Amino acid sequence: AFVCDHTKLVSCNTMATEKKFSLSDSRPKKDRIFLFDVDGTLTIARKEIDSDMKAFMEDLRSKAYVGVVGGSDLPKQLEQLGDNCVNEFDYFFTQNGLVSFKKGQPLASTSIVEFLGEEKLQKLINFILGYLAKIELPCKRGTFIEYRTGMLNVSPIGRGCSRSERNAFEEYDNKTKVRATMVEALKKEFADFKLTYSIGGQISFDVFPEGWDKTYCLPFLEKDGFKEIHFFGDKTYKGGNDYEIYTDKRTVGHSVKNPADTRAQVTAALNA
């Protein structure tokens, strides 16, 4: 099941940029920004941001510049953070920064199909579908590959699974390493494609060109003069989709356990 969401992305971009941007520029430290992962950091995985976090982020925006960097596409981030979220952060990076916004306005973007070319992309997709057809899982649903502008998101169980099936797959994967095993097979098969594989969330992993991990967003911030970039994320272990940016020398990395821990660590960083 291959899903291309170009049309949906364009409509969401249009909706987001039509709304007025009203963030204050009178924050204490002009070269400091707090940058956040989404799943497991601002929200419970794939759930909407709760009222406590919304209030906390609103207060934080009066004290520091704030940004979001997630692997998901814009429609999914709108679902989790709200229809106006693009305008509620100074920087809003979707798909690791391949589709990005500054003060509500879109920045330049690129795509994985431009990088690989159609022939190589189809070889990759066909291998993934063939691999998934051969493995047995407790259950499978729909949408096993989701095309995003800067990456492919691959889900062995399928993104159409229910919340309970999602939770059950995460437990199963922790024991059997379904995703990690598949990633190793892809690395071996496509060693010359210059791709990176990053496990994130509960049910999937991302495939994208080398260097297109979450560190892709950092040059945008460096260009605008930010020298103290605090990053908060939960998948900070090697192989997790926050690892590269968490360990990057340009950031101050904070490994969090959940949204409540995020609030506690942000407060500590503000008071340091």
Side-chain angles (χ1 to χ4, degrees):
F2 178 71
V3 177
C4 179
D5 59 0
H6 290 306
T7 303
K8 190 173 182 182
L9 179 61
V10 171
S11 65
C12 288
N13 283 354
T14 302
M15 176 187 68
T17 55
E18 285 176 350
K19 297 183 179 180
K20 187 177 179 181
F21 183 82
S22 59
L23 285 174
S24 168
D25 283 325
S26 59
R27 279 156 285 189
K29 295 186 69 174
K30 301 297 184 182
D31 63 350
R32 179 182 67 181
I33 186 168
F34 288 76
L35 188 61
F36 298 90
D37 166 53
V38 181
D39 276 348
T41 302
L42 293 181
T43 75
I44 301 300
R46 290 302 305 137
K47 289 192 174 182
E48 295 180 9
I49 190 169
D50 64 28
S51 57
D52 289 342
M53 184 60 83
K54 283 182 74 81
F56 182 83
M57 296 306 292
E58 183 176 355
D59 179 65
L60 178 61
R61 289 192 292 270
S62 68
K63 302 172 182 176
Y65 290 94
V66 182
V68 166
V69 56
S72 295
D73 57 20
L74 181 58
K76 289 184 178 61
Q77 293 197 11
L78 291 170
E79 289 173 6
Q80 289 183 265
L81 300 179
D83 287 343
N84 197 39
C85 59
V86 170
N87 298 288
E88 293 174 346
F89 295 88
D90 299 282
Y91 295 84
F92 200 87
F93 300 111
T94 73
Q95 301 184 54
N96 294 347
L98 272 296
V99 179
S100 306
F101 300 85
K102 175 186 175 182
K103 295 189 174 183
Q105 299 302 310
L107 300 172
S109 64
T110 187
S111 71
I112 188 171
V113 70
E114 290 176 12
F115 177 84
L116 284 177
E118 188 63 36
E119 184 179 352
K120 284 186 175 181
L121 181 63
Q122 287 201 32
K123 285 183 179 179
L124 177 62
I125 290 169
N126 290 342
F127 181 87
I128 291 170
L129 291 175
Y131 184 100
L132 291 175
K134 297 173 184 175
I135 62 172
E136 295 289 335
L137 299 174
C139 72
K140 288 183 182 179
R141 296 300 178 252
T143 313
F144 300 102
I145 303 176
E146 184 174 79
Y147 177 89
R148 300 174 181 174
T149 304
M151 67 182 72
L152 298 182
N153 178 264
V154 181
S155 175
I157 187 178
R159 299 198 66 88
C161 62
S162 67
R163 168 61 60 179
S164 61
E165 289 166 343
R166 171 185 287 265
N167 293 339
F169 176 81
E170 182 180 31
E171 290 184 16
Y172 180 80
D173 184 57
N174 286 339
K175 296 176 182 177
T176 62
K177 307 299 180 185
V178 173
R179 290 183 291 177
T181 302
M182 187 173 180
V183 163
E184 290 306 311
L186 285 164
K187 285 181 178 178
K188 181 178 179 180
E189 183 70 20
F190 300 102
D192 60 337
F193 275 29
K194 297 183 178 179
L195 296 171
T196 295
Y197 306 85
S198 183
I199 296 172
Q202 295 176 289
I203 62 169
S204 65
F205 62 90
D206 297 325
V207 183
F208 48 85
E210 290 177 359
W212 288 20
D213 51 61
K214 288 183 179 177
T215 62
Y216 189 90
C217 75
L218 296 179
F220 292 107
L221 302 179
E222 290 181 299
K223 181 181 177 182
D224 287 350
F226 290 102
K227 297 177 181 177
E228 186 180 338
I229 304 171
H230 291 264
F231 172 75
F232 299 82
D234 66 316
K235 297 290 191 299
T236 56
Y237 50 83
K238 190 172 180 59
N241 64 356
D242 295 324
Y243 175 78
E244 290 85 2
I245 191 169
Y246 171 74
T247 58
D248 194 281
K249 64 181 181 180
R250 293 168 290 182
T251 68
V252 180
H254 303 265
S255 184
V256 304
K257 299 175 182 177
N258 51 51
D261 188 35
T262 298
R263 292 193 291 271
Q265 293 203 39
V266 169
T267 300
L270 281 171
N271 296 329

